[in-house]
């Protein structure tokens, strides 16, 4: 498994559920996403679970999967599939983001925020929205 860093989008809810411990947490500017080695997204990781070791994360995933399998829920088939995915992922060692990964992500976010502020300040954001809508209209007309 690999923990990847991603920028929190404006559409992202304030609170998310951790894939590892199944508790709600408040997300900051950087989201922590857990992927399998095959590239499938398992979900978000809380900052508290990021502090755990690879073996502790794998153990918690196994425990959560077992609890999901024992749950008497009407959506049992969906839970079973999710639990099996977690059990399979728990077999993989966890690769954490490096200090360099954190630095690069923070720099990307700073750069994007600076560009957004500058575009808003100079009025370019309205221009880009107008141009984007014109382009979308042209593409929609071509489909008809």
């Amino acid at each position: 498994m690999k923990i990847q860093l991603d920028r929190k989008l404006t559409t992202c809810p304030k609170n998310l559920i951790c894939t590892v411990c199944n508790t709600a947490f408040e997300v900051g500017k950087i989201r922590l996403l857990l992927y399998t080695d095959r590239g499938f997204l398992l979900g978000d990781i809380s900052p508290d679970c990021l502090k755990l070791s690879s073996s502790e994360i794998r153990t918690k995933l196994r425990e959560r999967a077992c609890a999901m399998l024992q749950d008497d829920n009407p959506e049992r088939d969906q839970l079973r599939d999710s639990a099996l995915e977690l059990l399979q992922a728990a077999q993989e060692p966890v690769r954490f983001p490096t200090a360099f990964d954190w630095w690069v992500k923070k720099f990307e976010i700073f750069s994007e925020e600076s560009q957004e502020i500058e575009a808003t300040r100079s009025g370019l954001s309205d221009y880009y929205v107008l141009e984007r809508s014109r382009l979308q209209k042209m593409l929609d007309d071509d489909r008809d």
Side-chain angles (χ1 to χ4, degrees):
M1 289 177 286
K2 181 178 181 182
I3 299 174
Q4 284 188 301
L5 307 174
D6 198 4
R7 179 181 181 188
K8 176 187 169 190
L9 300 176
T10 56
T11 56
C12 179
K14 184 178 180 180
N15 292 315
L16 299 172
I17 302 293
C18 179
T19 302
V20 176
C21 65
N22 200 34
T23 58
F25 67 96
E26 189 172 329
V27 66
K29 289 184 178 185
I30 297 177
R31 285 180 72 178
L32 304 163
L33 301 172
L34 183 63
Y35 286 88
T36 65
D37 287 342
R38 294 178 294 148
F40 296 121
L41 175 64
L42 292 174
D44 291 273
I45 294 186
S46 69
D48 291 336
C49 287
L50 182 66
K51 297 173 186 173
L52 300 174
S53 69
S54 177
S55 62
E56 290 171 320
I57 289 174
R58 293 168 52 204
T59 300
K60 282 188 173 255
L61 285 175
R62 279 191 291 275
E63 290 170 357
R64 181 155 181 245
C66 290
M68 290 169 73
L69 288 172
Q70 294 172 356
D71 191 12
D72 290 330
N73 193 319
E75 299 172 356
R76 188 166 172 84
D77 289 338
Q78 285 180 330
L79 280 178
R80 187 178 60 76
D81 292 344
S82 296
L84 293 176
E85 287 177 17
L86 290 179
L87 282 174
Q88 186 175 10
Q91 304 304 314
E92 305 170 0
V94 180
R95 292 186 313 277
F96 293 89
T98 64
F100 181 72
D101 294 331
W102 282 97
W103 184 85
V104 167
K105 186 53 67 179
K106 287 179 182 181
F107 182 76
E108 284 176 10
I109 291 171
F110 174 77
S111 176
E112 290 170 2
E113 287 175 346
S114 298
Q115 290 173 357
E116 290 167 3
I117 291 170
E118 184 61 27
T120 302
R121 187 178 67 80
S122 63
L124 291 177
S125 61
D126 293 336
Y127 174 74
Y128 287 124
V129 169
L130 178 64
E131 287 302 312
R132 220 178 283 133
S133 64
R134 285 183 188 165
L135 178 61
Q136 186 63 43
K137 186 176 183 321
M138 289 178 7
L139 292 172
D140 289 342
D141 289 345
D142 288 342
R143 289 183 191 153
D144 297 334

